Amino acid sequence: MTPENASQHCRQIMLMAPVVPVLVVKDAAHAKPLAQALVKGGLPALEVTLRTPAALEVIREMAAVEGGVVGAGTLLTEQDVINAKDAGATFGVSPGVTPRLLDACAANDMPLLAGAATASEAMALLERGYTVGKFFPAEAAGGAPALKAIGSPIPQISFCPTGGVNLKNATDYLSLPNVLCVGGSWVAPSDKVAGGDWDGITALAAEAAQLPR
Ligand code: 3PG
């Protein structure tokens, strides 16, 4: 997959809704009802982080949920890319950008939303032909003002800011011309997931899906 095709694919996913839920799921039994709750609330694009032993099984379960588009987050190595693809992830997300990871995604036809927090990292993505990225860690890296500043000299790349983004500050990012959507875990709080409060999660998703951009 060329970087141009990968970027095009990611762009379509990023435009599906203003928020991509970032999911850390410990129990695969939660996968299906969680994905259904988020899709029902209007958030179809889901990022499942590869940070729990259950993550690949969670991706498998979620990939079968109608209306959902499931990606794998926290891709660090080629093996992560292979495992995620095998589990049914249709896009990948990484906290940063390395040549080896970009090579692995190209070789395995995995559209990647690679992390970038600085102008140099954004330039590294552009140099490889990518026109989308994940601004991470968004709040810690300077928040919306920093991303706005990066967009002035480098407007060619569009971002999904993630890391410390919530309902209150999401519009600061979504109003920027170089932002297509934001990512965040606030729509699937661990207590609601553990307690099986799927209606509560649908309500949070519906609220997030209404964010203007
Ligand atoms: C993460 O890596 O966990 C994401 O950046 C989500 O961050 P958040 O929990 O601050 O939304």
Side-chain angles (χ1 to χ4, degrees):
M1 172 175 282
T2 66
E4 290 77 14
N5 287 343
S7 298
Q8 173 67 15
H9 186 94
C10 286
R11 191 175 288 271
Q12 282 169 5
I13 290 167
M14 293 160 85
L15 288 172
M16 292 179 90
V19 179
V20 176
V22 177
L23 307 171
V24 183
V25 186
K26 294 190 185 121
D27 184 348
H30 292 147
K32 193 174 168 194
L34 174 58
Q36 286 172 332
L38 291 164
V39 171
K40 189 175 170 192
L43 302 182
L46 311 172
E47 175 191 339
V48 178
T49 60
L50 295 189
R51 274 187 243 165
T52 65
L56 292 172
E57 185 56 27
V58 169
I59 291 173
R60 265 188 206 97
E61 293 281 332
M62 288 191 173
V65 169
E66 204 181 324
V69 176
V70 183
T74 330
L75 295 184
L76 303 178
T77 66
E78 175 155 33
Q79 195 58 51
D80 290 339
V81 176
I82 292 167
N83 292 345
K85 177 133 190 168
D86 183 59
T90 59
F91 66 101
V93 185
S94 62
V97 50
T98 72
R100 280 171 70 176
L101 186 65
L102 293 178
D103 289 345
C105 286
N108 291 282
D109 281 335
M110 176 67 91
L112 181 69
L113 202 52
T118 64
S120 293
E121 290 161 5
M123 286 168 66
L125 280 177
L126 265 184
E127 212 170 85
R128 290 287 299 246
Y130 283 83
T131 55
V132 294
K134 160 177 166 166
F135 181 56
F136 177 83
E139 282 293 289
L147 187 52
K148 184 180 181 191
I150 289 173
S152 293
I154 315 172
Q156 306 94 317
I157 181 158
S158 298
F159 290 93
C160 172
T162 306
V165 181
N166 55 45
L167 194 67
K168 284 202 180 93
N169 61 17
T171 42
D172 296 344
Y173 292 99
L174 290 167
S175 60
L176 299 178
N178 59 341
V179 169
L180 296 178
C181 65
V182 300
S185 61
W186 86 88
V187 288
S190 53
D191 59 332
K192 283 197 179 358
V193 175
D197 182 5
W198 311 124
D199 287 346
I201 287 174
T202 294
L204 288 174
E207 192 177 34
Q210 294 304 316
L211 283 165
R213 57 174 170 170

